[in-house]
Amino acid sequence: MYRIAMMVLRLFLRAPYYLFRIWWCGKSDKISFEEAYAYIKKVTIAANKAGRVKIESYGLENIPEKNGFVFFPNHQGLYDVLAFLESCPVPFAFIIKKEARNVILLKQVTEALGSLAIDREDIRQSMKVIMQMAQEVKGGKNFLIFAEGTRSKAGNKLLDFKGGSFKSAVKAQCPIVPCALIDAFKPFDEKSVKPVTVKIIYLPPLYYEDYQNMKTVEIAAEVKKRIEKAIESY
């Protein structure tokens, strides 16, 4: 959390304005999803610079040209989404766990991007969110969901990916984009403010014809395998 404090201190004069603008993005009908994303991206870049975090992106050419797909990255910590917000050139919403829904700033970003909160202890609510996500993806909105369900707490090692997370993609019959995060646990989970580099690798997508005959647990295992291989290669 030391780095978060440094970000806030270095952006102290601008932070209230940033927070207000992001809040307004979530409240105003005049601000489009694309405009909200562009502003949040701008604030994220400023925060990363203030926090001495560098993002290295690879495989941007693998992001589908047509909207309506889902990013499936490994989950390392609280910082993960910030890596995507700086590096990803196309707008996306994300699935956030219920417990983090009311954290200041995260709450405003969630509302501004139309992201969804999931209660993994409530199966009925979880499936409702997954189905809502599928419908929005069908409508052309991009999403990000962490298939591990919780951060690994083991550095660059992955937990098992949960098959249920992939039901949204199957329902939407959309491209699945595996993404490998490397060292994303370092910015917020380590007690240090030294400069740090986070790598994010966008891997070639799996299209519906690639996985239509697979069970969700098989899709989960395949995506996990591809991410692990990418992490090993970098």
Side-chain angles (χ1 to χ4, degrees):
M1 294 296 178
Y2 294 171
R3 198 178 304 272
I4 295 177
M6 184 170 72
M7 288 177 172
V8 172
L9 287 173
R10 288 190 167 184
L11 297 173
F12 183 75
L13 296 178
R14 286 177 284 172
Y17 177 71
Y18 285 158
L19 183 61
F20 171 78
R21 281 290 304 274
I22 293 173
W23 172 83
W24 185 244
C25 285
K27 299 297 181 182
S28 176
D29 294 332
K30 297 180 180 180
I31 299 176
S32 69
F33 174 56
E34 291 76 15
E35 290 171 330
Y37 181 80
Y39 186 74
I40 291 170
K41 186 181 184 73
K42 176 182 176 181
V43 173
T44 301
I45 292 172
N48 283 336
K49 183 177 180 180
R52 305 169 79 185
V53 183
K54 178 183 178 182
I55 306 297
E56 290 186 359
S57 305
Y58 304 89
L60 290 170
E61 68 279 4
N62 291 321
I63 298 176
E65 294 183 4
K66 183 179 179 181
N67 288 324
F69 56 83
V70 182
F71 291 120
F72 283 91
N74 54 312
H75 194 12
Q76 296 193 333
L78 295 172
Y79 181 80
D80 295 353
V81 173
L82 291 180
F84 280 91
L85 288 172
E86 173 164 336
S87 68
C88 187
V90 296
F92 66 90
F94 52 88
I95 302 296
I96 187 173
K97 62 181 181 180
K98 177 185 175 183
E99 295 83 351
R101 178 66 174 79
N102 292 317
V103 175
I104 190 169
L105 184 58
L106 195 52
K107 176 181 179 180
Q108 287 74 28
V109 170
T110 299
E111 292 178 350
L113 296 180
S115 297
L116 305 173
I118 192 168
D119 183 354
R120 295 189 181 276
E121 301 300 319
D122 186 334
I123 297 177
R124 181 175 295 181
Q125 191 272 352
S126 296
M127 288 309 303
K128 184 177 179 180
V129 169
I130 292 295
M131 292 302 103
Q132 181 179 345
M133 173 183 162
Q135 288 301 315
E136 293 193 33
V137 172
K138 276 186 179 180
K141 190 171 184 176
N142 309 315
F143 264 86
L144 181 154
I145 184 170
F146 296 106
E148 287 164 289
T150 187
R151 55 180 175 163
S152 69
K153 297 183 181 180
N156 293 314
K157 294 183 179 180
L158 277 61
L159 298 175
D160 287 336
F161 279 29
K162 301 181 185 300
S165 301
F166 292 86
K167 290 182 178 180
S168 57
V170 173
K171 185 74 174 179
Q173 299 184 9
C174 71
I176 290 171
V177 185
C179 303
L181 286 169
I182 300 175
D183 293 341
F185 62 93
K186 291 183 176 181
F188 289 169
D189 292 0
E190 290 190 345
K191 296 180 179 180
S192 172
V193 293
K194 293 181 179 179
V196 63
T197 297
V198 173
K199 295 180 181 180
I200 178 169
I201 309 158
Y202 297 89
L203 301 172
L206 285 78
Y207 292 96
Y208 183 63
E209 54 267 28
D210 298 323
Y211 65 80
Q212 60 181 329
N213 296 320
M214 299 169 66
K215 296 178 181 179
T216 54
V217 291
E218 295 173 330
I219 300 171
E222 176 63 24
V223 170
K224 179 188 177 185
K225 183 177 72 173
R226 295 188 182 197
I227 292 174
E228 286 179 326
K229 185 176 180 180
I231 291 174
E232 290 173 1
S233 66
Y234 279 81

